[in-house]
Amino acid sequence: MKQLHDECGVFGVFGHPDAATITYLGLHALQHRGQESAGMVTTEGRHLNLHRQMGLVVDVFSEDVLSRLSGTSAIGHVRYSTAGSSSLQNAQPIKCMFEGGALALAHNGNIVNSDELQGYLKKNGHVFQSTSDSEVLLHLVATAYYDDIPKAVSGMMDKALGAYSMVLLSPDKLVAVRDPRGFRPLVMGRLDGAVVVASETTSLDLIGATVEREIEPGEIVVASEDGVRSIQAKPAREPARCVFEHIYFARPDSEVFGQQAYTVRKELGRQLAREQPVEDADLVIPVPDSGVSAAIGFAEIQDAPFDMGLVRSHYVGRTFIEPEQRIRNFGVKLKLNPVPELVRGRVVVVVDDSIVRGTTSRKIVEMVRARSPKAVHLRISSPPTRWPCYYGIDTPSREELIASSMSVEEITKLTTAESLGYLSVEGMHRAVSGAGKGGYCDACFTGNYPVRTDRNWPPQRHGRKK
Ligand code: AMP
């Protein structure tokens, strides 16, 4: 079975008269985490009302749809997945009826032993409606149920391996849970006395909620008529917070894992300039939006002017959204265009957060070069992305990851830049956590996977050029 890699955002609210509208807004602020489908389940205490559809939050929830999603509690989801698995069937939340009544679930992350678990469940007569690992989680909760949903969620945690930050809704409870490694973020807060949970603090900011705290790794939080209960269901393991949330994925105005993403990104740029300065740089320009914060930090240490030398069209989404390479190539041009007067005759440093397949950087260097700069240097505020992520960030297979088969010199040639400089793994950790590894997962850069997966364990290290 094809394993899905979901990049997603989740949201939940318990005990608010405008649950659907609040969830709509909460999801809107998480749109960057997934643009393929959006969905919501609400409850007025008896039924679960579901609406999910392919598309962006603004298109999925019309006024009419929202007015039909009645209730005082809700969960919501935005989803992005790799090509081939885009279908409404895999959209979330997913809803079912089981021994304990009605239940819905919305999941961010990726379960690494999902195939194994699904195989076992199928042999025992379970039937599945989708190829999503999240449906496996719902089956595990149902299987572990005796008389209490939080206990069943804890039972699920005994079986599922990997990354899950998720929310579940029954007619009388909202349950939020984070895996024992805490791969993906999940925060909780309050709005007019209601409990709210979201992947990122931007959601809480938008609805005017106060941010209370992160949900801890291994913790289950239950909101019901009886109030809020916290259960440390599993002991927290050595944390494996996703470093890529800080590098690229989260919105810069979010506080992620207790730190402002913007500040961390700027520090990544500063560290990059310390490690990979460009002699005689006249101008530092970011690849908007992903490279902006790092480029500001880079320019500061490089002591060179920062300017918006590339202008972005705001009517194009993330370049990755196009499943086909052909369209992706064109997508870069559709999205970005240089300001000729700024780059002409100058030594230009272009800063971006990462190189994945190499499409974006090659096209950008080409575009800037066409405006007659003196030189184009490329600087990347993360190390070479060499390994696929199995914990919920969409990365292509190893073959498609340019840095897994090419050396930095070869990639430099391919991009046609005068020089290319990546941040070191050590420098990245220093920028993110002050020193050492600091409890972050860096598997996409190092191949050191903190939780085993059948397909990547042990990682194949041979065949890679240095
Ligand atoms: P590529 O063109 O394949 O090298 O992709 C690099 C660009 O995609 C960079 O500008 C990144 O900001 C962005 N990017 C990196 N990782 C992801 C991801 N997982 N999803 C979407 N975009 C990404």
Side-chain angles (χ1 to χ4, degrees):
M1 189 188 86
K2 190 178 182 314
Q3 189 83 26
L4 304 177
H5 296 183
D6 299 31
E7 299 182 72
C8 303
V10 297
F11 185 87
V13 54
F14 186 89
H16 196 286
D18 302 319
T21 313
I22 297 290
T23 304
Y24 169 80
L25 292 170
L27 290 180
H28 201 286
L30 296 175
Q31 187 75 83
H32 60 287
R33 296 185 73 86
Q35 301 96 28
E36 185 192 87
S37 67
M40 183 189 311
V41 168
T42 64
T43 184
E44 66 299 312
R46 280 174 56 139
H47 306 102
L48 294 186
N49 318 301
L50 168 70
H51 182 78
R52 51 182 199 177
Q53 206 177 297
M54 305 304 284
L56 299 173
V57 174
V58 281
D59 303 320
V60 169
F61 301 107
S62 62
E63 252 178 66
D64 184 39
V65 166
L66 282 177
S67 69
R68 279 187 274 123
L69 289 165
S70 59
T72 50
S73 301
I75 58 171
H77 190 265
V78 286
R79 175 169 193 267
Y80 171 93
S81 83
T82 46
S85 56
S86 328
S87 80
L88 187 57
Q89 261 182 350
N90 286 324
Q92 294 192 33
I94 42 180
K95 186 181 113 167
C96 72
M97 292 297 294
F98 78 120
E99 176 66 14
L103 186 65
L105 170 153
H107 165 221
N108 171 209
N110 203 57
I111 303 304
V112 296
N113 60 340
S114 163
D115 287 1
E116 197 181 309
L117 291 167
Q118 199 187 50
Y120 171 81
L121 290 164
K122 277 182 180 164
K123 276 205 188 87
N124 283 279
H126 290 243
V127 292
F128 289 85
Q129 312 252 345
S130 73
T131 52
S132 146
D133 56 349
S134 312
E135 197 181 351
V136 174
L137 294 179
L138 197 56
H139 279 258
L140 290 179
V141 174
T143 310
Y145 182 82
Y146 178 61
D147 60 355
D148 179 59
I149 293 174
K151 271 192 222 154
V153 172
S154 175
M156 171 225 88
M157 293 169 88
D158 291 331
K159 303 265 178 351
L161 282 177
Y164 50 90
S165 278
M166 63 184 196
V167 284
L168 298 100
L169 188 72
S170 71
D172 64 351
K173 277 188 198 70
L174 170 73
V175 179
V177 57
R178 201 160 159 221
D179 66 76
R181 299 279 189 162
F183 281 98
R184 311 251 74 93
L186 194 62
V187 288
M188 64 182 278
R190 295 270 179 174
L191 174 68
D192 312 329
V195 177
V196 281
V197 185
S199 294
E200 289 184 36
T201 56
T202 43
S203 262
L204 306 195
D205 292 345
L206 181 62
I207 60 173
T210 48
V211 179
E212 233 165 53
R213 64 177 179 90
E214 278 192 271
I215 293 185
E216 295 299 326
E219 184 188 14
I220 299 176
V221 171
V222 188
S224 69
E225 285 293 311
D226 304 330
V228 181
R229 191 155 56 102
S230 158
I231 307 157
Q232 188 63 44
K234 301 287 166 248
R237 305 280 309 278
E238 164 81 14
R241 295 166 292 193
C242 170
V243 74
F244 212 70
E245 290 274 353
H246 271 307
I247 290 167
Y248 168 82
F249 203 43
R251 246 169 68 163
D253 49 334
S254 274
E255 200 180 290
V256 182
F257 309 130
Q259 290 192 88
Q260 190 72 60
Y262 178 83
T263 312
V264 172
R265 255 166 235 183
K266 209 162 142 185
E267 190 51 37
L268 287 163
R270 288 198 193 102
Q271 183 62 27
L272 176 64
R274 286 181 204 114
E275 293 181 11
Q276 305 278 354
V278 174
E279 233 180 87
D280 308 327
D282 292 322
L283 182 69
V284 177
I285 65 172
V287 176
D289 294 322
S290 57
V292 174
S293 333
I296 293 173
F298 189 96
E300 186 186 305
I301 298 297
Q302 176 79 49
D303 202 15
F306 165 93
D307 221 326
M308 294 301 285
L310 285 162
V311 171
R312 178 185 163 179
S313 160
H314 283 276
Y315 302 96
V316 188
R318 289 187 166 189
T319 321
F320 253 59
I321 204 166
E322 293 304 344
E324 274 188 47
Q325 186 67 25
R326 199 164 38 88
I327 305 174
R328 219 181 283 126
N329 272 327
F330 192 72
V332 179
K333 215 169 159 196
L334 206 66
K335 187 160 143 185
L336 298 165
N337 195 35
V339 180
E341 200 175 299
L342 282 180
V343 302
R344 196 176 303 130
R346 298 233 165 94
V347 175
V348 178
V349 187
V350 178
V351 179
D352 202 359
D353 68 290
S354 56
I355 297 180
V356 183
R357 298 175 180 88
T359 320
T360 308
S361 32
R362 193 169 58 226
K363 289 279 155 199
I364 284 171
V365 174
E366 227 170 65
M367 281 193 295
V368 175
R369 179 90 65 212
R371 302 302 197 273
S372 316
K374 204 156 144 196
V376 189
H377 298 271
L378 202 54
R379 291 296 179 270
I380 305 297
S381 63
S382 66
T385 309
R386 293 196 163 114
W387 301 87
C389 176
Y390 296 107
Y391 311 122
I393 293 275
D394 170 57
T395 38
S397 64
R398 285 213 71 200
E399 299 73 55
E400 286 174 283
L401 286 171
I402 198 164
S404 76
S405 57
M406 283 194 187
S407 65
V408 175
E409 293 73 47
E410 285 167 325
I411 303 172
T412 314
K413 259 195 213 134
L414 193 94
T415 62
T416 73
E418 260 78 23
S419 78
L420 164 64
Y422 283 99
L423 183 62
S424 68
V425 172
E426 300 69 38
M428 170 185 74
H429 284 299
R430 200 165 308 128
V432 173
S433 57
K437 208 174 153 184
Y440 280 91
C441 172
D442 60 9
C444 51
F445 307 118
T446 61
N448 298 325
Y449 292 97
V451 172
R452 73 160 182 95
T453 91
D454 295 336
R455 286 161 304 115
N456 67 18
W457 202 262
Q460 302 293 305
R461 285 173 180 283
H462 54 263
R464 171 162 63 85
K465 291 181 194 159
K466 283 259 182 276

